[in-house]
Amino acid sequence: MKVLKYITTLILVAFFVSCTSDFEEINTDPTNISTEEASAKYFLTGVQFKLYGPDRYPYWRAQLIHADRFAGHFTFGFNGSWWDDGLAYTYDPAYTDAAWDWLAGFFGGLNNFRNLTGVGGDFENDKMYAVGQIISGLYFQMYTDTFGQIPYTQAFDPNVLSPAFDDQVTIYRGIITELNEAMATIGDATTTGTGIEDLGVNDIYCGGDLQKWKRLANTLKLRIAMRAYGAPGENFAQAAITEALNAPLLESDILMEKDNVISQWASAAYGDVWHNFAPSGSRWKVSKPLLDYLKNYDDPRLSKYAKPAVGGTVTWTRPNAGDNPEGNENFDKRVDFIVQTLTDAGANPVVEDNGDEVTVTVEGGHYIGQPVRLNGFIYPFVSNEFFSEPADVIVNAKGGDNISSEIVFTSAEAYFLQAEAAVKGLGSGNAQSLFEMGISQAMKMWEVNDGEIASYLANADLAHLTGTPEEQLEKIAIQRWLASYTDGFEAWAVVRKSGYPASLAAGVTDADIYAMGDINGAYPMRMQYGNAVKSENPNNYQGAVSAQGPDKQDVALWWAQ
């Protein structure tokens, strides 16, 4: 009866199985599953895509509105966007709840897969269970790095309806323990079994390759240990770093190919948001910090990440002092700010200043990043024509041209982590060689050719670990941040841990130009908890706030203190 129950469930989850471009190969007829064909592998695909490609609501509100923008990669607030770029810096439960509900709710599918494959489960398979443990590591790291303290040690206990929140040192240590268990279980195995027991194409991260899963687990272990290293009270990071450096790490990227057919309401992409609110309401621009690093160092990823601004002529008129005294007073300041931004970008703006009316002309073809975190007052001056959009591959609509894959974990990060460990005296590798490998792998992921990579490595100062150890660590952090483009959660974590790019980590101070938000211009260090947990688990929520600090965006997480 248990098997029959799960066959019925398999029919219901056939929808999730179909969420890959290999649907026909995976399951030709999902409504005709026999007992011999029942397998836990059909419960994996949905878990995987929901972590890196959830439905449009959290994809828009968690990834794009918060993580990608806190990372300093994308900006709203151009004249034509439905939102100014202060969105998310002022708490709004309508947006924050989407992130909390998605991450808190993700646990159910993951827990189901672990229960099915664990000891005594209906599809008991220790190798599949090990895969579930590694996905748990990816999930809990993202979850805790977004909010701080979260339920962890009691999360898997079905008898605990209101789980306690654990501190991050407990969570990080627990993740590493599970990753070690998973790697030991995998050992030398290459698959989870034969026939129906083989994850195969249902595994949209690693294609059923257990040795790649093992490398992923070890590289995640290194990421977590390096992030924890030096945090207050940690006593496990250095040993974990040493262990990780002495075992195989990723040498190729783990990317999740986006399904080009499934509805955005099941698994979204940037393009689903980009094209939804015509003509340009839900669109965004690439940031000034990002494009400045790419342009200033002749980085060949520039055209892979963004498009040149279209250019044009725009006229700004000074508001009437009686109707808008603030706008009238700051008119010249805001005009000067935008004109200086265009000038700094090499756009050579032509300015006709008639006092109360200023006309600016910019020729198309220049890469111009929009400053981050502009407030609503400057919105009329942030002209759509003057700033660069993301490259088409990032925002193409589903169902048409190819769209970029989701980053699960890059081999570039594996090399950058090793280079950082070498600079800090935690590893014996050659920091410069490892650093160059990281840059090379990051560029290859975006299909930069070998000649352009070689030229960059030879000529760009940002590719050479010169200067003091701190200056070297800054370059590694910047390259990790650049390589994390479209992986906002990880890019945001890089800024919080390293303090680089410094222009982002410093926050903002000029309220005439920038959005100060609820945190008086400080850089956001976490997201606030969702309203659901405040009503459903109030005592443990209050316990977390008491231990961690006020439920505000500027409260630094444990590893960022």
Side-chain angles (χ1 to χ4, degrees):
M1 289 302 295
K2 285 185 177 180
V3 172
L4 290 175
K5 174 183 68 177
Y6 280 107
I7 291 173
T8 301
T9 307
L10 286 173
I11 294 171
L12 296 176
V13 302
F15 166 76
F16 295 110
V17 177
S18 71
C19 300
T20 76
S21 58
D22 300 305
F23 171 56
E24 292 299 330
E25 182 178 354
I26 291 172
N27 195 350
T28 302
D29 186 3
T31 63
N32 186 23
I33 300 173
S34 68
T35 56
E36 291 77 14
E37 294 173 313
S39 170
K41 72 179 185 178
Y42 298 117
F43 293 84
L44 176 66
T45 310
V47 170
Q48 290 181 317
F49 78 70
K50 283 294 184 183
L51 186 56
Y52 292 97
D55 65 68
R56 201 195 70 157
Y57 195 65
Y59 198 97
W60 168 31
R61 298 192 171 201
Q63 273 91 332
L64 178 59
I65 288 178
H66 286 95
D68 288 320
R69 292 177 52 256
F70 288 170
H73 286 165
F74 292 144
T75 62
F76 292 147
F78 66 89
N79 196 339
S81 170
W82 281 13
W83 310 278
D84 69 64
D85 207 38
L87 182 66
Y89 294 94
T90 298
Y91 174 67
D92 185 331
Y95 295 106
T96 299
D97 282 2
W100 174 265
D101 293 346
W102 159 55
L103 283 170
F106 173 84
F107 175 78
L110 173 61
N111 188 44
N112 186 47
F113 180 77
R114 287 173 55 120
N115 287 337
L116 289 172
T117 57
V119 175
D122 289 274
F123 302 115
E124 182 177 342
N125 182 311
D126 63 340
K127 304 299 189 297
M128 287 191 187
Y129 185 79
V131 167
Q133 289 181 298
I134 299 168
I135 296 175
S136 295
L138 293 167
Y139 160 61
F140 278 111
Q141 181 244 305
M142 183 190 296
Y143 191 7
T144 186
D145 286 357
T146 301
F147 297 100
Q149 293 194 10
I150 56 169
Y152 178 71
T153 55
Q154 294 182 347
F156 291 101
D157 189 339
N159 297 314
V160 178
L161 299 180
S162 298
F165 285 52
D166 293 286
D167 58 39
Q168 287 197 290
V169 66
T170 299
I171 297 168
Y172 265 40
R173 188 185 293 114
I175 293 172
I176 289 175
T177 297
E178 278 223 295
L179 293 174
N180 287 337
E181 291 174 359
M183 290 187 284
T185 298
I186 291 172
D188 296 327
T190 57
T191 68
T192 53
T194 59
I196 199 68
E197 292 298 310
D198 181 9
L199 286 177
V201 294
N202 289 81
D203 172 11
I204 57 176
Y205 292 177
C206 299
D209 182 348
L210 283 188
Q211 289 306 302
K212 194 164 188 177
W213 274 107
K214 191 173 180 179
R215 286 177 180 267
L216 169 58
N218 193 47
T219 311
L220 177 60
K221 175 181 174 178
L222 181 59
R223 172 198 279 176
I224 290 171
M226 290 294 292
R227 189 160 292 161
Y229 182 72
E234 69 83 9
N235 59 2
F236 61 88
Q238 186 164 350
I241 292 166
T242 300
E243 293 169 359
L245 293 174
N246 288 321
L249 295 158
L250 283 175
E251 295 178 343
S252 60
D253 301 323
I254 297 181
L255 307 175
M256 189 182 81
E257 183 180 346
K258 297 293 289 191
D259 187 285
N260 208 22
V261 177
I262 186 174
S263 163
Q264 62 186 288
W265 303 111
S267 181
Y270 283 125
D272 296 320
V273 181
W274 182 266
H275 296 282
N276 261 286
F277 306 124
S280 60
S282 59
R283 299 188 177 185
W284 57 93
K285 302 292 183 179
V286 184
S287 78
K288 183 179 188 299
L290 182 67
L291 291 191
D292 282 354
Y293 274 109
L294 297 175
K295 291 192 304 178
N296 293 345
Y297 295 96
D298 294 323
D299 193 310
R301 287 171 290 188
L302 179 61
S303 63
K304 309 291 186 180
Y305 283 13
K307 296 189 296 186
V310 297
T313 298
V314 175
T315 298
W316 300 314
T317 301
R318 184 189 302 273
N320 181 277
D323 297 331
N324 184 356
E326 190 277 338
N328 177 277
E329 179 182 353
N330 287 298
F331 178 78
D332 294 327
K333 180 177 183 178
R334 289 167 182 153
V335 167
D336 291 345
F337 175 82
I338 296 297
V339 169
Q340 189 61 53
T341 298
L342 299 173
T343 301
D344 292 344
N348 304 314
V350 176
V351 181
E352 298 178 25
D353 189 346
N354 297 315
D356 288 344
E357 189 172 86
V358 177
T359 298
V360 179
T361 300
V362 172
E363 292 185 357
H366 299 281
Y367 288 94
I368 310 173
Q370 182 180 308
V372 172
R373 201 170 168 176
L374 298 179
N375 64 29
F377 297 116
I378 200 172
Y379 176 92
F381 303 88
V382 189
S383 301
N384 184 21
E385 300 92 332
F386 291 166
F387 298 99
S388 291
E389 295 181 347
D392 287 337
V393 70
I394 297 167
V395 296
N396 278 334
K398 290 173 70 174
D401 294 328
N402 290 334
I403 52 179
S404 57
S405 298
E406 297 288 348
I407 295 174
V408 177
F409 216 117
T410 67
S411 56
E413 184 178 353
Y415 288 109
F416 291 141
L417 289 168
Q418 292 174 80
E420 181 182 343
V423 170
K424 290 181 175 179
L426 301 171
S428 58
N430 182 283
Q432 179 61 37
S433 296
L434 292 164
F435 187 50
E436 290 181 5
M437 281 296 297
I439 295 171
S440 178
Q441 291 296 98
M443 291 185 174
K444 287 180 179 179
M445 188 177 75
W446 288 89
E447 299 182 350
V448 176
N449 66 54
D450 290 342
E452 290 176 312
I453 294 172
S455 177
Y456 182 86
L457 293 177
N459 299 308
D461 177 70
L462 198 56
H464 299 105
L465 293 179
T466 55
T468 66
E470 183 59 30
E471 289 170 333
Q472 295 177 43
L473 292 173
E474 178 180 0
K475 291 181 179 180
I476 294 170
I478 294 299
Q479 289 290 357
R480 281 188 68 190
W481 178 74
L482 291 172
S484 297
Y485 186 57
T486 70
D487 184 11
F489 284 101
E490 197 52 34
W492 178 30
V494 169
V495 180
R496 288 178 287 166
K497 176 63 178 180
S498 70
Y500 300 111
S503 62
L504 288 173
V508 295
T509 57
D510 189 344
D512 294 332
I513 302 294
Y514 298 103
M516 309 303 285
D518 293 334
I519 52 179
N520 197 31
Y523 184 72
M525 303 300 284
R526 59 181 293 273
M527 287 181 61
Q528 293 180 225
Y529 293 116
N531 276 322
V533 74
K534 299 175 187 178
S535 59
E536 296 170 1
N537 195 359
N539 292 336
N540 287 316
Y541 161 76
Q542 289 296 338
V545 170
S546 296
Q548 182 170 268
D551 190 10
K552 299 295 183 183
Q553 290 181 340
D554 60 342
V555 172
L557 300 185
W558 161 72
W559 46 258
Q561 296 174 8

